[in-house]
């Protein structure tokens, strides 16, 4: 039983790392972020996506529509904040 659990945990960790790399590559390909910033944002996007149970692509999509330059301190004229332009 422990061997199966260990194998599952290792597989989840591998999939997680693959998602982070793929998201970082997608973010970098926009031309608006550097490699270190893309890696930082990718780690955050994937961890929050997993925690909230939504696909990372959905989070990236909202970010691209609401804040195409990935400015974390952005504030809209309506008062929406951050990368996803969430209302406080």
């Amino acid at each position: 039983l422990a061997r199966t659990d260990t194998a599952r945990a290792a597989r989840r960790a591998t999939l997680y790392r693959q998602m982070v790399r793929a998201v970082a590559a997608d973010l970098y390909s926009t031309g608006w972020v550097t490699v270190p910033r893309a890696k930082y944002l990718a780690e955050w996007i994937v961890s929050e996506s997993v925690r909230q149970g939504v696909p990372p692509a959905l989070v990236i999509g909202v970010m691209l529509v609401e804040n195409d330059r990935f400015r974390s301190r952005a504030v809209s004229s309506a008062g929406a904040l951050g990368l996803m332009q969430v209302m406080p």
Side-chain angles (χ1 to χ4, degrees):
L1 181 66
R3 182 179 285 173
T4 303
D5 291 340
T6 303
R8 284 183 187 150
R11 179 72 178 142
R12 277 195 305 267
T14 299
L15 289 173
Y16 183 87
R17 286 190 303 273
Q18 288 173 347
M19 279 196 300
V20 169
R21 279 195 297 272
V23 169
D26 288 345
L27 293 171
Y28 181 71
S29 73
T30 65
W32 291 110
V33 293
T34 62
V35 171
R37 176 85 168 142
K39 288 179 181 179
Y40 172 78
L41 288 173
E43 184 69 39
W44 178 81
I45 289 168
V46 172
S47 68
E48 287 302 310
S49 295
V50 168
R51 192 169 73 85
Q52 297 296 331
V54 298
L58 176 64
V59 177
I60 293 171
V62 171
M63 287 176 157
L64 282 169
V65 169
E66 296 296 333
N67 187 352
D68 64 347
R69 294 186 184 182
F70 300 101
R71 293 171 293 179
S72 58
R73 298 184 194 274
V75 179
S76 73
S77 59
L81 304 172
L83 291 166
M84 294 182 69
Q85 292 294 288
V86 177
M87 291 297 285

